[in-house]
């Protein structure tokens, strides 16, 4: 079983910044792409940013130019930094990880989510 432990989030003022971190753990698993998605009320879940084990990144169009994502492969952690937040960034942010077992079967895991609220 894989567990994703999320940290960060909370209340952020408009124009501010935030850092979200996620640590993946699971005996017998290795991890591929890791990243963050978000879901605002009444909207579909969307990609914020993701990073492969080789360091290739994907960034959502709505946050392009405002985020950086990095990972530590030795610790199976991924960190997202977002700047110049606006009210439209208010959402529940979910950590995602691709996990591979010893037979190279792929599984998708999600964290429980962390609320980010942009408000003055």
């Amino acid at each position: 079983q894989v567990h994703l432990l999320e940290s960060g989030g909370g209340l952020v003022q408009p124009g501010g910044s935030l850092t979200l971190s996620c640590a993946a753990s699971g005996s017998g698993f290795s991890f591929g792409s890791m990243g963050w998605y978000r879901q605002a009320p009444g909207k579909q879940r969307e990609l914020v940013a993701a990073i492969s084990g080789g360091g290739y990144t994907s960034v959502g169009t709505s946050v392009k130019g405002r985020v950086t994502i990095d990972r530590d492969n030795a610790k199976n952690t991924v960190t997202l930094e977002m700047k110049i937040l606006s009210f439209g960034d208010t959402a529940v942010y979910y950590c995602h990880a691709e996990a591979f077992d010893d037979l190279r079967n792929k599984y998708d895991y999600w964290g429980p989510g962390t609320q980010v609220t942009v408000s003055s």
Side-chain angles (χ1 to χ4, degrees):
Q1 185 71 359
V2 170
H3 296 281
L4 301 179
L5 180 62
E6 303 164 337
S7 61
L11 181 65
V12 183
Q13 290 191 336
S17 60
L18 69 82
T19 300
L20 300 176
S21 296
C22 177
S25 61
S27 178
F29 287 91
S30 60
F31 297 97
S33 176
M34 296 180 67
W36 288 91
Y37 289 71
R38 69 184 185 184
Q39 188 166 17
K43 295 187 177 181
Q44 290 188 328
R45 190 171 295 189
E46 64 174 359
L47 170 71
V48 179
I51 183 169
S52 71
Y56 292 101
T57 60
S58 298
V59 179
T61 54
S62 61
V63 299
K64 197 158 289 186
R66 297 192 292 122
V67 301
T68 57
I69 188 166
D70 198 7
R71 67 185 284 168
D72 185 328
N73 288 330
K75 298 180 179 178
N76 294 322
T77 58
V78 60
T79 301
L80 176 79
E81 296 182 347
M82 184 183 297
K83 60 182 180 181
I84 317 175
L85 271 73
S86 66
F87 300 123
D89 294 312
T90 295
V92 179
Y93 286 68
Y94 296 91
C95 178
H96 169 263
E98 291 181 339
F100 296 89
D101 64 16
D102 291 341
L103 298 177
R104 298 302 293 174
N105 294 308
K106 185 173 80 74
Y107 304 89
D108 288 290
Y109 285 93
W110 296 90
T114 183
Q115 176 71 46
V116 173
T117 301
V118 182
S119 175
S120 55

